[in-house]
Amino acid sequence: KAGVTQTPRYLIKTRGQQVTLSCSPISGHRSVSWYQQTPGQGLQFLFEYFSETQRNKGNFPGRFSGRQFSNSRSEMNVSTLELGDSALYLCASSLDSLVYEQYFGPGTRLTVT
Amino acid sequence: DAKTTQPTSMDCAEGRAANLPCNHSTISGNEYVYWYRQIHSQGPQYIIHGLKNNETNEMASLIITEDRKSSTLILPHATLRDTAVYYCIVRDGGTSYGKLTFGQGTILTVHP
């Protein structure tokens, strides 16, 4: 079974621009969660989608948003990029939102200059 | 979600068992214990999880104390490829909706 895929793997953007990252979950998984990883803050939860509905959200500003499509693929968007948004963005998929284990993708490395 | 405490770092000789402890003294009845690991620059990898009983899979064993206030992840025969950051996570099975709260984890270094 194919794993979680994320595109692009690397991205360089300029302050003020916006960016869209994509995540394709494992086939049959309906829950997709997004995380941000930085050296200073570690791994932090952004939000989770299940059956196209956002069911949980972390403590991030409204510049961070996401959506999920009917095929469970998910995108996250960051508008008005700031230098501090430079990070590894990880998505994880799961059979459901609660108990089942999450499987992570390789991440998208975003650099904001 | 309950807070977890792990040692900052541990060493292990290749071929030996690696025993990684985790304290979660404020865990509540509906909270599960999960273990993940992250090898440098890769996404975290699921290892194992449990609620009350000890669990074993092809990667590791999870031992949860009877009072559930602590647990130990056991890698029975550590290899160099097991060098990684190991995260112990406590997660509410009823309300967490996709959220895993990662702490600083334990840096496990396996030596030849």
Side-chain angles (χ1 to χ4, degrees):
Chain A
K1 194 182 262 190
V4 178
T5 58
Q6 293 187 245
T7 56
R9 292 292 312 279
Y10 302 91
L11 204 50
I12 300 175
K13 289 287 189 178
T14 304
R15 270 181 304 174
Q17 288 185 317
Q18 75 163 13
V19 67
T20 299
L21 312 181
S22 181
C23 173
S24 293
I26 291 171
S27 177
H29 285 191
R30 297 168 65 189
S31 169
V32 174
S33 299
W34 288 89
Y35 295 83
Q36 180 196 66
Q37 186 171 28
T38 60
Q41 299 297 317
L43 271 155
Q44 293 186 289
F45 172 78
L46 280 157
F47 32 64
E48 186 265 356
Y49 286 86
F50 181 82
S51 292
E52 302 179 66
T53 301
Q54 186 183 91
R55 300 190 71 166
N56 203 355
K57 190 177 188 305
N59 189 26
F60 279 83
R63 300 185 297 107
F64 292 81
S65 62
R67 60 177 176 168
Q68 187 180 36
F69 302 95
S70 58
N71 62 358
S72 294
R73 190 177 69 85
S74 178
E75 290 181 345
M76 69 162 283
N77 183 277
V78 188
S79 62
T80 320
L81 284 165
E82 300 176 359
L83 294 179
D85 296 333
S86 294
L88 180 66
Y89 289 89
L90 294 153
C91 84
S93 78
S94 175
L95 278 170
D96 78 7
S97 303
L98 293 171
V99 174
Y100 287 94
E101 61 272 20
Q102 294 182 13
Y103 293 91
F104 284 78
T108 294
R109 173 75 61 185
L110 172 64
T111 302
V112 182
T113 62
Chain B
D1 293 335
K3 182 178 169 59
T4 61
T5 304
Q6 301 178 250
T8 302
S9 63
M10 294 183 64
D11 291 332
C12 178
E14 190 176 20
R16 297 295 200 112
N19 296 280
L20 291 88
C22 179
N23 182 285
H24 30 79
S25 58
T26 60
I27 194 170
S28 62
N30 198 37
E31 289 180 318
Y32 290 73
V33 179
Y34 288 77
W35 284 83
Y36 283 79
R37 72 181 182 185
Q38 188 173 25
I39 297 169
H40 184 61
S41 297
Q42 297 182 21
Q45 178 188 21
Y46 166 79
I47 301 173
I48 198 166
H49 76 282
L51 181 62
K52 296 179 183 178
N53 301 319
N54 298 337
E55 302 287 345
T56 296
N57 62 20
E58 64 278 2
M59 286 185 67
S61 294
L62 173 61
I63 308 297
I64 303 174
T65 58
E66 193 169 340
D67 63 7
R68 303 207 328 118
K69 293 182 184 300
S70 66
S71 61
T72 301
L73 178 73
I74 301 172
L75 307 178
H77 306 287
T79 70
L80 298 179
R81 288 177 296 179
D82 291 323
T83 293
V85 180
Y86 286 77
Y87 297 98
C88 170
I89 298 166
V90 172
R91 178 186 182 193
D92 190 307
T95 62
S96 59
Y97 291 120
K99 180 180 180 181
L100 294 173
T101 302
F102 288 83
Q104 295 305 305
T106 296
I107 301 171
L108 174 68
T109 304
V110 180
H111 298 284

